[in-house]
Amino acid sequence: MTDKPVVGIPADRRMLGVHPFHCIGEKYITAVVDGADAYAILIPSLGDRQSLAQTLSLVDGLLFTGSPSMVHPKHYQGPTLDEDTCLDPHRDDTTLPLIRQAIALGMPVFGICRGFQEMNVAFGGTLLQKIHETPGKLDHREDKDADLDVQYGPAHPVSVVAGGLIARLTGLSEFQVNSIHQQGVDRLGTGLMAEAIAPDGLVEAFSVADAKHFALATQWHPEWKHQANPVSVKLFAAFGEACRTFKRERGLTMNPE
Ligand SMILES: N[C@@H](CCC(=O)NCCCC(=O)O)C(=O)O
């Protein structure tokens, strides 16, 4: 199929040596191409220097990736982070308005890890900044010295919320997920519905309750070796199908027969 839906992936802005680059992890790109059967394009994180409306006119869906950077606490009235915290204000200034505008358009959206966190903030939610220092919570960070297959391997179960999108797509009530994050949902944003919960009560996935099409975010990483994980296969397939539907519906609206 040459006329695949186009999925935009906003980039991280990172310094490589003395120069700033806009970059995306390859595993997200291949999950869009192979898992969603879509055409992936990078969206530079230039904030309002490029029209977000024009950006949205170029894509049929959006994927918000993980990143070592944290959402700036000013966006959720959170406490100041440690001085050495990795931030990416350029990404924040691009993704937060993009999320809101995309959902308002009915565009399919899939958020992963940092993307999950920025979707929560975009809808007025707040974040726990150091889950591992929060009483009653597990340590959700990865062992950075372990092999990647261990870091992105099963870390804890999640309980699936009955009647939600993940329950409908998978037919499961519980499954194992990986865990590579220090921050997480404190208060869920307005209009967001919990989809999966960790043993310590942390929200690990949510959907946008009144979204016209697929609008899901997971704290875990379904893109990791997605074709070997039955849950990931279903999530990316559903995302891709929603992008195809959105593309078709938008085409009909713009070119009524
Ligand atoms: N920085 C946030 C989000 C963590 C996250 O996205 N981790 C994945 C980074 C690498 C990858 O893309 O797989 C936090 O620490 O909570």
Side-chain angles (χ1 to χ4, degrees), residues 14 25 27-28 65-71 86 112-115 117 129 142 152 180-184 219 221 223:
R14 296 190 187 179
K27 56 191 168 72
Y28 300 103
T65 72
S67 172
S69 69
M70 309 296 180
V71 179
C86 176
I112 296 173
C113 209
R114 206 255 202 205
Q117 294 165 2
Q129 295 180 342
E142 75 282 16
Y152 286 83
I180 299 102
H181 62 105
Q182 164 181 317
Q183 301 200 344
Q219 182 67 79
H221 288 263
E223 86 287 352

Side-chain angles (χ1 to χ4, degrees), residues 183-203:
Q183 301 200 344
V185 169
D186 184 8
R187 188 184 73 245
L188 203 52
T190 304
L192 303 184
M193 189 189 101
E195 290 275 344
I197 310 290
D200 59 4
L202 195 75
V203 173

